[in-house]
Amino acid sequence: QVQLVESGGGLVQAGRSLRLSCAVSRTIASINTMAWYRQAPGKQRELVARIDIGGITDYADSVKGRFTISRDNAKNAVDLQMNSLKPDDTALYYCNARIFGVYYWGQGTQVTVSS
C-alpha cells in the first residue's frame, strides 16, 4: 500500500505564493509519473502538473509560468511551487502517483486564494 500525504495549503491573498509538498511512503525513484491535481467546489478534478521519471514536466494551461512541479527522489517527495496565485486557483489539491497502472491519491490540502 502506498500512502501520500500533502501539506502546505492555506489561505493567501491573490498574488502571493504557496509551496505544497507531498510525502510518499515508498521510494519514488521508480515511479514513472507523479502529479498534482485539484478540485474546486462544483467542478471536476483536473490535472495541474505532472513530472515523469526523467524530470519532464507538463502543466495545465491555466498555471503555466506560475506553478513549478519538482520531485526529490532522495526525500521521496514531490513539491508544487505556486506563484502569483489567483482566486481561480482556490481548490483542494491532491498528490497522485501512478504505479503499474494504479492511481494512488493523498487526502488533499486546501488552498484558498482571496481577492
Side-chain angles (χ1 to χ4, degrees):
Q1 186 72 8
V2 180
Q3 293 183 330
L4 294 82
V5 180
E6 302 97 335
S7 61
L11 171 63
V12 294
Q13 289 185 326
R16 302 299 292 269
S17 299
L18 276 177
R19 187 176 184 90
L20 306 183
S21 186
C22 173
V24 186
S25 64
R26 54 153 281 177
T27 180
I28 67 169
S30 59
I31 298 177
N32 187 61
T33 304
M34 297 292 303
W36 285 92
Y37 286 73
R38 67 186 181 187
Q39 186 167 17
K43 295 187 178 181
Q44 289 188 330
R45 190 173 297 188
E46 63 174 355
L47 175 68
V48 176
R50 59 188 170 197
I51 183 167
D52 73 9
I53 200 167
I56 295 174
T57 58
D58 186 30
Y59 297 91
D61 287 343
S62 59
V63 306
K64 282 181 181 176
R66 299 189 297 122
F67 290 12
T68 302
I69 189 171
S70 60
R71 62 193 290 168
D72 188 333
N73 291 342
K75 296 181 179 179
N76 296 326
V78 179
D79 290 351
L80 184 68
Q81 177 67 41
M82 306 186 296
N83 299 327
S84 302
L85 283 161
K86 304 175 181 180
D88 284 349
D89 295 319
T90 295
L92 191 59
Y93 283 71
Y94 296 93
C95 181
N96 169 267
R98 189 177 73 182
I99 305 172
F100 299 116
V102 178
Y103 285 81
Y104 295 89
W105 300 91
Q107 81 288 351
T109 185
Q110 178 67 39
V111 173
T112 303
V113 184
S114 63
S115 58

